[in-house]
Amino acid sequence: MPSQRTGPPASAEPIDPDTGLSASPRRREPRLPHYTVLGVIAVGGALGAVARYGASRLWPAGTDGFPWATLTVNAVGCLVIGVFLVVVSEVFSAHRLLRPFFATGVLGGFTTFSTYCVDIVRLVDSGRAGPALAYLAATLVAAMAAVSAGAWSTRRVVAKWGER
């Protein structure tokens, strides 16, 4: 007998319950002090930023090089956020501080769209407008494809796991 799914339809993207847009009623939990949430975001952000810095040191772009490390970090971060949000939204109920810590903090610190913008300006300023435009487009496409692939593949794995 197939398992009964209680989450949103497979075609729906995860909805952040903090936005109030969830179709199902939320249970009322006591609010955490703002400094607690900000603290876990800050700790997660520091960890993510250290990981990103490590990636840039392992794979430096050089002064005229293409910023492969930043492109890869952003795509990997988007893939992970797609997996993570499906898991915490559709598979199990996570602790209230997990999403701010990991999604906003760690992945927000790890992905670096500000460096992405600086890299584009650096490429343009060095007379490499073509690679700058390619990088601009490649990052957007890679980020959207990665988050979609992460969410889609996680739902498939969860569905197969639920059939066992």
Side-chain angles (χ1 to χ4, degrees), residues 100-126:
F101 168 75
F102 190 72
T104 305
V106 174
L107 293 176
F110 182 66
T111 57
T112 175
F113 288 94
S114 58
T115 301
Y116 160 68
C117 293
V118 169
D119 288 341
I120 292 168
V121 169
R122 183 183 49 81
L123 287 167
V124 169
D125 286 349
S126 67

Side-chain angles (χ1 to χ4, degrees), residues 55-147:
S56 71
R57 300 299 294 164
L58 288 172
W59 197 1
T63 55
D64 288 335
F66 192 83
W68 290 107
T70 305
L71 175 66
T72 303
V73 160
N74 286 337
V76 168
C78 289
L79 177 75
V80 173
I81 196 73
V83 171
F84 177 75
L85 287 180
V86 168
V87 169
V88 299
S89 299
E90 300 176 22
V91 178
F92 71 90
S93 180
H95 187 278
R96 293 182 289 184
L97 293 176
L98 180 61
R99 281 191 21 250
F101 168 75
F102 190 72
T104 305
V106 174
L107 293 176
F110 182 66
T111 57
T112 175
F113 288 94
S114 58
T115 301
Y116 160 68
C117 293
V118 169
D119 288 341
I120 292 168
V121 169
R122 183 183 49 81
L123 287 167
V124 169
D125 286 349
S126 67
R128 301 179 66 212
L133 286 173
Y135 175 56
L136 178 109
T139 298
L140 293 175
V141 169
M144 295 303 293
V147 75

